[in-house]
Amino acid sequence: MGIITSCCRPSASEVLTPDAETRRRQQSEAAERRVAENATRGIKDVEKVQRMQQRSEEMEKRERELAQQGGASLKWTAN
């Protein structure tokens, strides 16, 4: 039985494996893809979320600038 199955499998010299640098690059690319996919999981409109985040960052930046200048805050306060 061992003779039949051993002839069907390629020998170790026939199996092509990429060199270490190629494997590292491929693993890095795969990891980056997984991170990108997880970041957008469940989001229908990725661009909209990015625009909202950018607006939020701009508002925070403006608030910091106003606070440094001693100006009023952009946040609303309830009386």
Side-chain angles (χ1 to χ4, degrees):
M1 289 286 286
I3 297 172
I4 295 173
T5 57
S6 65
C7 72
C8 297
R9 291 187 312 204
S11 67
S13 63
E14 294 175 357
V15 177
L16 298 176
T17 56
D19 63 340
E21 183 61 32
T22 304
R23 288 184 63 212
R24 270 190 230 108
R25 183 179 46 79
Q26 289 172 342
Q27 289 174 343
S28 174
E29 290 171 357
E32 289 172 4
R33 277 194 307 273
R34 284 191 303 271
V35 167
E37 288 172 0
N38 285 336
T40 59
R41 179 170 284 161
I43 300 174
K44 291 183 181 178
D45 189 0
V46 177
E47 292 177 6
K48 180 179 178 182
V49 172
Q50 290 174 346
R51 286 190 305 269
M52 290 172 57
Q53 288 175 341
Q54 185 177 8
R55 284 186 202 139
S56 175
E57 290 171 0
E58 288 174 3
M59 289 295 289
E60 290 174 3
K61 181 180 176 184
R62 289 180 190 155
E63 287 178 5
R64 284 192 302 269
E65 290 174 356
L66 283 174
Q68 288 176 351
Q69 295 174 357
S73 175
L74 292 178
K75 290 186 179 180
W76 292 73
T77 57
N79 292 330

